[in-house]
Amino acid sequence: MLFELKHETLFEYSEPVTDSMMEFRLTPKTDAKQKVIIHQSRVVPARSTRRYLDGWGNTVTTVNIPFSHQKVEVVFESVVECDEGSRTENEQGSARDLALYDFKQPSRLVEWTPLFREFVQDFESIRDHPTRELAEKLSEAIHTGFRYDTKATTASSTIDDLLRGRAGVCQDFSHLMIGVARWLGVPARYVSGYVYSDRYQEQTVASHAWVELFDESSGWIGIDPTHNDWVRESHLRLGVGRDYQDVSPNRGLYRGSAQESVEVRVFLRPIDPVELEQSTKRLFTSAQLTAYATRQFRKPAPVSILQAITAAQQQQQQQQ
Amino acid sequence: MSLFYNYSKLSANDEALSDGGEVHALYEGIATSLEKLSPKELETKKKAADLFFLNRGTTFTVYNEDQGIDRVFPFDPIPRIISGTEWEKIEFGLRQRIFALNLFLKDIYHDQRILRDGVIPVDLILGAKHFRREWVGVEVPHDIYVHICGTDLIRDENGDMVVLEDNLRSPSGVSYVLENREAMKSMFPEFFEGYDIRPVQEYSYLLREVLEFIAPPSADDPVAVLLSPGVYNSAYFEHTFLAKQMGIRVVEGRDLVVDDDILYMKTTGGLRKVDVVYRRIDDDFLDPLIFRPDSVLGVPGIVNAYRRGNVALANSIGTGVADDKAVYAYVPKIIRYYLGEEPLLQNVPTIIASDPGGVTAIQDQIENLVVKRVDEAGGYGMLIGPHSTRSEQEEFKARVAAEPRCYIAQRMVDFSTHPSFIDGSLQPRRVDLRPYILFGSEVKVLPGGLTRVALREGSMVVNSSQGGGSKDTWVLR
């Protein structure tokens, strides 16, 4: 299946800021399951972007804006071909143990807290089950045991928050499932990406997160506890890591005492192979970001994550 | 009458006395010089030396005491003397060690051969607090990770210098080596009579050479800066001192800015490109974009500028994994693995709590052991078994059991004492030695290093943050 993807992030500040420094993990991966055919990024105000691969093999795009500015729009556009399978990558040979090490330990957002240890007792009975079976059971349990509610948690919520409130979003469900899998000795990692949502009724947001478990025979396999389903051709992978913090779509800092609001818009649609040529042409010629000039920006959101840190007023960007 | 006359051998292992209790041949010159000085005169000269340091601003900062934070580093005027032959042996051992540790760092941030070959437990490295995943696979100039190393040595009961720990992040103290020598030359010139001592003043020049060596090739006339956390850092004096000696600027995070992966310093004449940063700030605080986002000491974007090769850092990122005290126990294996040689300098035998049976081994003999947290430095977070109370021991037993990965224990070495001038007479006080090793186009070891003195009677803790002093260290030709 071919997808055309556009991810726009708009940062708006209540007054001018300077020295913005940002990192984005918004470049789809090329792996056993999907292939990136076109990928490009643009920034307004016009700035060059740079790329590097992080320790997990995710592509990171960096951009900085030294001068005074009040709005930044960053657009990533891709055309990606996606296969039906759930398998993504395999680690081989003596490198396997080393590559899997991090995915067997608790991590910052996947801690084995007392509340978690209590929760995980129910799953001890499936400890030695085959990976696929174990995955399906965990996914089922999380899907039925927790309510999907975008208001229940935030980007920095922990597993405990989910266990207390019994409600959350894909990020929280994935963290919990990763935690349980690791506890049961199965290497597990966090995947950030998109899901083409025509398939699923429950939610329409295209940005998504799910889980990959490592199976001795087939390597990493993807499962989506939010939809209680195996990962399919509707799932587009951006990055992998121990938890959300390793693959957050954006992170950054700026200087100034302004309040920041962030708006993300994702457009994801399947295209025909015949459309590919048109799509390519369009992507490479659309120098103007018309949306930037015309759209009405929403009012600054209540500041929750934003922290004024010091007199130097270096601030952390909100993560989405 | 010489002060040495009354110097009784209170320790089994004194550096200035031979086995028979007579003055060691190396110290005969000093003993003769001291004959011409009364204790009162020496006291006066010592006070003058303190003033010398105060006037020059040679201070350090102490936390967790109620008094003012700026201190003169207590100075003991009796120099420590190391023979040329012994020094040669130490120097070879240190060279071997820094070579092996650099190969180790290159390996664990790339192929991880040593882990795959099972020489070191995977958990010890990948689970280490200072292992920087962010830095895996990144190339650093000339494959050098540790450009400046300070390795702590003590002399054991057999008279051999053994390694206590390596400091591979930003070892401090070298400014006192240079200042102690200046003070000795000004205040005690007569002590130098008859000794042919290797100079130490070239250190700043050598360090500057290292910084220029690692600069990006595109920089014709490299601009180097010293990045300091600021005036509240315990080593701020040293930052300004070394920068001045090298002719480079001391900057703080807010003086630097990164644009398009290039590092600039803000000057009155506008932005100026920076090619090399001698950073005296830990990885955690270096770059809030990559490491701790709440750090205000660092420079957002500096890590990516380094990654791109537009600026060089000394030391590199992630070196702290190799001075983890649990990894220290493996350094002899690391040397054999990478160099195929036997270690020239021995380690103090170490029990790693996370090894099988490690916790029990520590708990069973805790009263004879020195227990240390693996990721702490400066004498914090440690227990000296023989000098501790029962309840302190119990507390540490519990801590070790709770977090085995965080603790090691070592046999308590009754390390050497050295005569120190205290309350009008010479008294034995324990000393260690921190030599400084520089790795640029070649490895250079500063002759001598910082001899730290545990000034409290019977004390075994020499750290300046715990009330230690220092003395001039002479390496003879």
Side-chain angles (χ1 to χ4, degrees):
Chain A
M1 206 171 180
L2 273 175
F3 286 103
E4 189 186 281
L5 168 71
K6 188 175 185 184
H7 187 123
E8 301 177 349
T9 314
L10 179 82
F11 302 90
E12 212 186 8
Y13 302 92
S14 57
E15 35 188 298
V17 299
T18 62
D19 295 322
S20 282
M21 181 75 63
M22 309 175 180
E23 284 197 345
F24 297 90
R25 283 170 170 79
L26 289 172
T27 302
K29 282 180 169 297
T30 289
D31 54 38
K33 177 176 159 48
Q34 65 185 38
K35 194 166 100 187
V36 178
I37 295 167
I38 305 168
H39 180 68
Q40 63 174 26
S41 53
R42 280 168 302 168
V43 185
V44 176
R47 295 291 293 167
S48 62
T49 57
R50 296 164 300 277
R51 299 229 168 104
Y52 72 88
L53 286 181
D54 71 10
W56 316 112
N58 305 316
T59 303
V60 185
T61 303
T62 66
V63 59
N64 76 290
I65 304 169
F67 47 79
S68 172
H69 56 282
Q70 219 168 336
K71 281 176 192 169
V72 184
E73 179 155 21
V74 186
V75 179
F76 288 80
E77 288 172 297
S78 321
V79 173
V80 182
E81 189 178 4
C82 219
D83 290 341
E84 174 69 14
S86 310
R87 287 175 50 189
T88 59
E89 291 167 299
N90 207 347
E91 323 279 352
Q92 284 172 351
S94 57
R96 177 183 281 196
D97 277 353
L98 298 178
L100 294 181
Y101 177 86
D102 284 329
F103 304 117
K104 298 193 227 171
Q105 323 291 329
S107 54
R108 287 162 296 185
L109 290 175
V110 184
E111 284 188 284
W112 293 343
T113 59
L115 208 56
F116 171 83
R117 283 165 198 263
E118 209 175 289
F119 174 79
V120 83
Q121 292 313 314
D122 292 346
F123 298 94
E124 282 295 346
S125 56
I126 58 166
R127 180 175 276 276
D128 294 318
H129 286 209
T131 312
R132 281 178 184 274
E133 198 184 313
L134 182 138
E136 281 176 354
K137 287 196 166 137
L138 290 184
S139 172
E140 171 79 28
I142 289 168
H143 185 72
T144 51
F146 297 87
R147 199 162 37 83
Y148 187 89
D149 182 352
T150 53
K151 301 223 163 53
T153 54
T154 68
S156 55
S157 289
T158 60
I159 288 186
D160 277 2
D161 296 332
L162 175 66
L163 290 174
R164 277 195 209 100
R166 309 304 286 187
V169 295
C170 54
Q171 176 183 328
D172 309 300
F173 302 152
S174 299
H175 282 155
L176 181 59
M177 180 156 171
I178 289 167
V180 180
R182 289 180 187 168
W183 176 269
L184 297 176
V186 179
R189 65 186 184 186
Y190 185 95
V191 187
S192 94
Y194 306 98
V195 65
Y196 178 59
S197 53
D198 264 13
R199 188 185 176 89
Y200 305 109
Q201 297 305 312
E202 286 145 61
Q203 52 131 342
T204 52
V205 179
S207 277
H208 195 46
W210 58 93
V211 176
E212 284 179 358
L213 302 188
F214 190 79
D215 177 63
E216 283 299 320
S217 54
S218 33
W220 289 106
I221 42 176
I223 186 158
D224 179 351
T226 310
H227 298 111
N228 190 23
D229 199 355
W230 289 103
V231 160
R232 314 228 172 231
E233 61 183 341
S234 48
H235 289 75
L236 250 87
R237 298 168 82 236
L238 280 175
V240 297
R242 288 165 295 185
D243 55 40
Y244 169 77
Q245 282 196 10
D246 284 337
V247 284
S248 58
N250 69 286
R251 74 166 67 151
L253 298 139
Y254 58 89
R255 211 170 273 283
S257 55
Q259 293 202 333
E260 181 189 55
S261 71
V262 187
E263 188 184 335
V264 176
R265 299 219 290 179
V266 177
F267 307 94
L268 178 63
R269 66 180 188 105
I271 54 171
D272 279 38
V274 286
E275 271 188 89
L276 180 61
E277 199 186 331
Q278 272 178 305
S279 179
T280 313
K281 214 178 271 170
R282 186 156 35 80
L283 284 184
F284 282 110
T285 51
S286 61
Q288 284 289 323
L289 293 172
T290 47
Y292 181 68
T294 55
R295 193 189 312 144
Q296 291 292 311
F297 299 126
R298 69 177 181 199
K299 288 254 185 293
V303 182
S304 55
I305 310 167
L306 197 66
Q307 299 163 335
I309 297 166
T310 62
Q313 293 169 333
Q314 180 175 289
Q315 298 201 24
Q316 265 175 272
Q317 187 180 91
Q318 293 178 56
Q319 293 183 334
Q320 293 301 302
Chain B
M1 193 192 307
S2 170
L3 280 157
F4 259 102
Y5 183 79
N6 284 328
Y7 185 67
S8 55
K9 193 170 176 174
L10 300 178
S11 153
N13 185 8
D14 195 273
E15 300 203 353
L17 298 173
S18 60
D19 287 340
E22 283 116 46
V23 175
H24 194 290
L26 284 173
Y27 286 83
E28 274 167 11
I30 294 291
T32 314
S33 304
L34 283 172
E35 265 172 40
K36 298 170 192 153
L37 279 175
S38 71
K40 207 174 162 198
E41 282 168 316
L42 189 55
E43 189 64 50
T44 312
K45 279 164 91 72
K46 189 187 164 188
K47 283 201 176 119
D50 288 343
L51 265 178
F52 174 93
F53 288 114
L54 193 66
N55 289 337
R56 290 167 72 103
T58 310
T59 56
F60 73 106
T61 311
V62 170
Y63 307 118
N64 74 25
E65 277 187 47
D66 299 332
Q67 308 154 30
I69 59 167
D70 283 330
R71 302 291 163 76
V72 169
F73 196 15
F75 173 72
D76 181 74
I78 314 297
R80 181 193 205 172
I81 306 171
I82 297 171
S83 73
T85 31
E86 180 177 27
W87 181 253
E88 193 172 57
K89 220 179 118 191
I90 296 171
E91 188 175 332
F92 278 132
L94 294 170
R95 280 168 187 274
Q96 181 192 49
R97 212 167 162 96
I98 196 173
F99 266 123
L101 288 170
N102 268 296
L103 289 169
F104 169 68
L105 285 163
K106 159 87 179 169
D107 186 27
I108 60 165
Y109 286 112
H110 290 83
D111 300 339
Q112 305 185 330
R113 274 193 305 130
I114 197 165
L115 302 182
R116 292 191 220 177
D117 290 345
V119 177
I120 298 186
V122 172
D123 186 50
L124 207 60
I125 303 303
L126 300 187
K129 178 176 160 192
H130 295 294
F131 178 69
R132 301 293 176 194
R133 288 167 172 70
E134 298 85 349
W135 208 239
V136 170
V138 184
E139 301 299 324
V140 305
H142 308 282
D143 286 342
I144 306 173
Y145 285 77
V146 179
H147 311 89
I148 302 115
C149 172
T151 295
D152 291 347
L153 306 173
I154 51 175
R155 194 185 293 282
D156 70 10
E157 297 87 342
N158 303 321
D160 293 324
M161 284 288 194
V162 294
V163 179
L164 197 59
E165 63 183 54
D166 302 288
N167 294 280
L168 306 174
R169 280 170 276 168
S170 42
S172 60
V174 74
S175 55
Y176 304 115
V177 177
L178 310 187
E179 285 291 84
N180 286 352
R181 180 63 53 86
E182 285 305 306
M184 284 301 282
K185 286 198 285 199
S186 308
M187 301 296 150
F188 304 93
E190 65 274 27
F191 285 7
F192 288 79
E193 212 176 293
Y195 287 104
D196 187 5
I197 302 159
R198 291 183 58 186
V200 292
Q201 303 322 94
E202 62 178 1
Y203 180 82
S204 310
Y205 174 75
L206 296 176
L207 178 56
R208 173 83 203 233
E209 271 192 341
V210 169
L211 299 182
E212 287 180 0
F213 176 70
I214 62 171
S218 58
D220 286 339
D221 188 9
V223 174
V225 296
L226 188 151
L227 176 58
S228 168
V231 294
Y232 295 107
N233 185 269
S234 61
Y236 189 71
F237 157 73
E238 177 158 306
H239 304 163
T240 56
F241 177 88
L242 288 176
K244 201 164 137 190
Q245 291 232 330
M246 288 190 283
I248 66 174
R249 295 193 200 195
V250 182
V251 296
E252 294 178 29
R254 59 183 179 214
D255 302 321
L256 299 176
V257 63
V258 174
D259 184 19
D260 259 330
D261 282 347
I262 295 172
L263 180 68
Y264 297 93
M265 136 172 81
K266 299 171 189 167
T267 73
T268 49
L271 294 181
R272 188 165 175 210
K273 186 174 182 289
V274 174
D275 305 297
V276 192
V277 179
Y278 176 31
R279 48 98 169 219
R280 297 291 299 256
I281 176 171
D282 282 347
D283 287 351
D284 270 340
F285 298 97
L286 187 61
D287 184 343
L289 188 64
I290 305 290
F291 301 117
R292 279 178 58 162
D294 57 343
S295 167
V296 291
L297 302 173
V299 186
I302 193 172
V303 170
N304 287 339
Y306 184 32
R307 191 194 304 274
R308 290 261 293 205
N310 291 338
V311 66
L313 301 187
N315 288 343
S316 186
I317 290 168
T319 58
V321 67
D323 71 13
D324 183 295
K325 290 181 175 64
V327 174
Y328 153 89
Y330 284 88
V331 173
K333 285 184 178 171
I334 288 172
I335 291 173
R336 286 184 204 109
Y337 182 79
Y338 293 106
L339 302 177
E341 298 171 3
E342 280 305 306
L344 299 171
L345 287 172
Q346 301 307 312
N347 269 8
V348 177
T350 301
I351 307 170
I352 300 173
S354 57
D355 275 357
V359 173
T360 329
I362 293 172
Q363 288 179 335
D364 287 353
Q365 41 175 332
I366 198 159
E367 65 278 6
N368 301 320
L369 296 172
V370 180
V371 185
K372 296 176 179 173
R373 248 194 100 87
V374 296
D375 47 13
E376 289 275 10
Y380 294 102
M382 65 188 282
L383 173 92
I384 299 177
H387 299 179
S388 60
T389 64
R390 185 53 61 85
S391 68
E392 284 167 345
Q393 290 172 15
E394 290 306 317
E395 188 198 328
F396 266 78
K397 279 185 191 178
R399 284 199 209 172
V400 171
E403 292 182 287
R405 176 58 186 85
C406 296
Y407 288 92
I408 59 146
Q410 292 172 331
R411 178 177 75 81
M412 165 123 151
V413 178
D414 188 11
F415 59 102
S416 61
T417 59
H418 192 281
S420 302
F421 184 66
I422 287 165
D423 298 336
S425 67
L426 290 189
Q427 295 181 25
R429 289 291 182 270
R430 288 200 170 76
V431 287
D432 80 342
L433 179 64
R434 176 180 287 182
Y436 295 87
I437 308 129
L438 295 174
F439 196 163
S441 57
E442 55 187 318
V443 175
K444 297 247 169 97
V445 185
L446 183 68
L450 183 65
T451 290
R452 295 182 297 181
V453 190
L455 288 173
R456 290 189 206 118
E457 191 172 357
S459 169
M460 307 195 92
V461 183
V462 296
N463 303 79
S464 55
S465 49
Q466 311 279 330
S470 75
K471 53 171 72 214
D472 194 13
T473 309
W474 295 356
V475 171
L476 305 185
R477 281 188 210 273

